[in-house]
Amino acid sequence: MSINSEPRARGLQVTIKYGKGYEDTWVSFAGLRQEVFDDIVDYFGLDRDSVTGLTLSELVVSAANMAHAKGNVAGTLGGTVIPPAQQSKPAPASDVWDEIGQAGQSSSPAEPEEDPVLTLIKAAQSVDELKRIWAENQERVVGDALVAWKARGKELKAAGK
């Protein structure tokens, strides 16, 4: 990763590499500070609310870590990107009264599904696997997931894994 600062009128340029070698994939962002910040957030698909308080430098480090993790998974493990499943919306009921009747038939509320990152953390079998989970999902390892991540790390270290 590199940040080249030019005079304010011209902006700056940030380059983030997915690996160490020259042949590895890289991406560059250029413009004024806020434009580069916004472009990195958009490019990496980051949640804007979770990066609002970060400086550009902190955002670049986080994005570089994500890029390195993705590059390692692709290069070392042969991983590929799988697009998210398309969610289909249920067909609308023919009559609003049918819809109300169907809603009233449920006797107990559905249990909320567990966060997929939390599931991964609980299933981790080594400290290295736990580190990979964080590297690939760091914007989602917050709150309960962060508490679980730290606890699982302590368990695995104590077990010598």
Side-chain angles (χ1 to χ4, degrees):
M1 113 188 91
S2 64
I3 300 177
N4 298 324
S5 185
E6 302 260 336
R8 282 209 182 269
R10 295 176 66 193
L12 54 97
Q13 180 175 351
V14 173
T15 299
I16 298 174
K17 293 191 68 175
Y18 283 76
K20 293 180 181 180
Y22 181 78
E23 69 283 349
D24 287 322
T25 304
W26 52 274
V27 61
S28 290
F29 305 92
L32 299 176
R33 185 173 307 277
Q34 189 60 47
E35 293 170 333
V36 171
F37 190 98
D38 291 340
D39 288 346
I40 292 171
V41 169
D42 291 341
Y43 182 83
F44 284 94
L46 301 173
D47 176 43
R48 238 171 242 294
D49 293 337
S50 68
V51 297
T52 298
L54 297 180
T55 65
L56 179 59
S57 173
E58 293 165 339
L59 178 68
V60 169
V61 169
S62 293
N65 286 339
M66 289 175 61
H68 294 164
K70 289 176 183 179
N72 288 337
V73 168
T76 306
L77 302 175
T80 59
V81 176
I82 300 173
Q86 296 294 326
Q87 295 181 355
S88 60
K89 294 182 180 180
S94 59
D95 185 6
V96 71
W97 298 110
D98 290 339
E99 200 171 312
I100 292 170
Q102 291 170 358
Q105 291 175 2
S106 176
S107 60
S108 63
E111 291 186 27
E113 290 186 29
E114 185 174 66
D115 179 3
V117 172
L118 200 51
T119 304
L120 289 172
I121 290 169
K122 289 178 180 178
Q125 296 299 312
S126 69
V127 172
D128 286 340
E129 185 179 352
L130 203 55
K131 288 177 182 178
R132 180 187 52 79
I133 291 168
W134 182 84
E136 293 174 359
N137 301 284
Q138 59 185 302
E139 70 276 356
R140 294 175 52 204
V141 180
V142 294
D144 291 342
L146 182 58
V147 171
W149 185 83
K150 289 178 180 179
R152 185 68 178 143
K154 288 179 183 178
E155 289 172 10
L156 292 170
K157 282 183 182 179
K161 296 182 179 185

